[in-house]
Amino acid sequence: MTTHNSPVANHGNFTKYKIAAGVLGAVVPLAVAVLYFMPGAFRIPGANVKMLPAVNAVLNSLTAVFLVLGYYFIRRKDVAKHRAMMGMAFLLGSLFLVSYVAYHSQGIVTKFGGQGLIRGVYYFILITHILLAAITVALVLFTLYFALTEQFQKHRRIARWTYPIWLYVSVTGVIVYFMIAPYYT
């Protein structure tokens, strides 16, 4: 039974958070697209960001680990540990996003130099990674919103999509890094 003061009963009070999740879910991919199509538009002279691709790979790797742990704990009905693991995945994913934007704001473009079959594999992974990453922000934010507002049925329904997509994006981000790392200058 839902009490009058529970977040579920007052989920209308969280409308501003739902709107914020929707706006961020749209604005973040648009901002990344702007950085892609207008390299160097937000360049900060003298900023040293050469180490950020490696940092991003570490952040993506750790995000994937925490996602798997979060899944493990929820399958065992350990909600407290699930919440902690998913909180860490969200924090690391957020740090990744800041680092990614910082790196790409400098207009650095690295071309993949592989030839033959590996080139096709790289671009398949990269394109699926980019397309799914574009929707991951909104999925994650709405999954988090439903958990925080105790709308657990909606949380579970969207998490069934969010988890595999977010995990795929995190893992393929690391794969893309290792495939293109030899071509960084």
Side-chain angles (χ1 to χ4, degrees), residues 15-27 137-138 140-142 145:
T15 301
K16 61 185 173 195
Y17 299 116
K18 197 174 191 179
I19 292 168
V23 169
L24 284 172
V27 168
V137 174
V140 169
L141 289 172
F142 279 103
Y145 168 79

Side-chain angles (χ1 to χ4, degrees), residues 51-161:
M51 76 298 194
L52 290 184
V55 169
N56 292 342
V58 169
L59 291 170
N60 265 330
S61 297
L62 291 173
T63 298
V65 168
F66 282 105
L67 287 172
V68 170
L69 288 171
Y71 182 78
Y72 172 82
F73 287 122
I74 202 61
R75 299 310 292 166
R76 278 143 189 79
K77 309 234 186 289
D78 191 337
V79 175
K81 287 181 183 172
H82 167 74
R83 187 179 298 130
M85 297 303 106
M86 299 314 285
M88 285 301 298
F90 182 79
L91 174 66
L92 292 165
S94 299
L95 290 173
F96 162 81
L97 192 55
V98 170
S99 178
Y100 180 89
V101 168
Y103 179 77
H104 287 282
S105 70
Q106 299 310 296
I108 300 167
V109 178
T110 303
K111 301 284 184 192
F112 181 72
Q115 299 297 320
L117 179 63
I118 195 67
R119 187 173 186 80
V121 169
Y122 171 79
Y123 281 107
F124 174 80
I125 293 170
L126 179 64
I127 290 167
T128 58
H129 170 82
I130 290 169
L131 292 174
L132 291 172
I135 64 169
T136 299
V137 174
L139 284 172
V140 169
L141 289 172
F142 279 103
T143 304
L144 178 63
Y145 168 79
F146 291 134
L148 293 175
T149 57
E150 298 181 8
Q151 297 179 64
F152 297 120
Q153 187 174 8
K154 289 181 180 180
H155 172 76
R156 281 190 294 277
R157 197 174 319 133
I158 194 172
R160 287 191 173 112
W161 291 95

